[in-house]
Amino acid sequence: PLLGTAPRGKRLFEAKEPRPFALPLCVLCAALLLLFAIVATMGGSSHAQAAFGMSFAAGLSTGVGALFVCFTTSLDRSLLAATMAFSAGVMIYVSLVEVIAVANEYFSQSYSPSLAYALSTLSFFAGVLAMAAVDSLVHRVMEKVAAHSAQTKRDGEADRAEAATTDEQQ
């Protein structure tokens, strides 16, 4: 088992009552997000202002999404799975549509259009394979760390039990 796995019958996540300040804070953040989105798309702003506004809005939207945790009273694993799958889909879409197009544009400056498209697609899938290898490596390392931690804990408990038995015999 990996670190963070709860024993049977115990929950890793125990939600508390919703915080009273969470809703006004969420509304404020959403209003700021909307304001920056409007300012970033207004005519007359420079590219730097628009880029800053969009970056700020993207970061703020992450915070707004995280604030919704304040409203939960329990962990619904099916909702968590659905939202994580949705997020993964968004990231894959952005990678396929935006990043590959930009990579293709840069490769087109040095190579033929067909070779540029092939290189940008191959680079994307090489990145996917690299991340799969890193993910596998992290899981293997964490399993070993968890096993070592559990063994150390068992050894410590055995040493304490042995010391208690030795004290009782004396």
Side-chain angles (χ1 to χ4, degrees), residues 44-128:
S45 63
S46 71
H47 289 296
Q49 289 172 333
F52 177 76
M54 287 185 229
S55 296
F56 185 80
L60 191 60
S61 64
T62 302
V64 170
L67 275 175
F68 285 115
V69 172
C70 296
F71 296 120
T72 60
T73 55
S74 67
L75 178 65
D76 183 4
R77 294 197 183 273
S78 61
L79 177 64
L80 181 63
T83 55
M84 288 175 66
F86 177 76
S87 298
V90 168
M91 286 185 259
I92 290 171
Y93 171 79
V94 167
S95 296
L96 287 173
V97 172
E98 298 293 330
V99 176
I100 290 179
V102 171
N104 189 31
E105 178 184 326
Y106 285 119
F107 277 130
S108 294
Q109 294 173 359
S110 302
Y111 302 105
S112 68
S114 60
L115 182 59
Y117 184 76
L119 287 173
S120 59
T121 304
L122 286 172
S123 298
F124 173 78
F125 285 109
V128 169

Side-chain angles (χ1 to χ4, degrees), residues 1 11 16 25 41 50 77:
R11 295 181 66 185
K16 299 175 181 161
L25 188 60
T41 57
R77 294 197 183 273

Side-chain angles (χ1 to χ4, degrees), residues 12-30:
L12 282 175
F13 179 84
E14 287 296 329
K16 299 175 181 161
E17 290 299 314
R19 293 165 182 89
F21 64 85
L23 182 61
L25 188 60
C26 223
V27 169
L28 175 68
C29 289

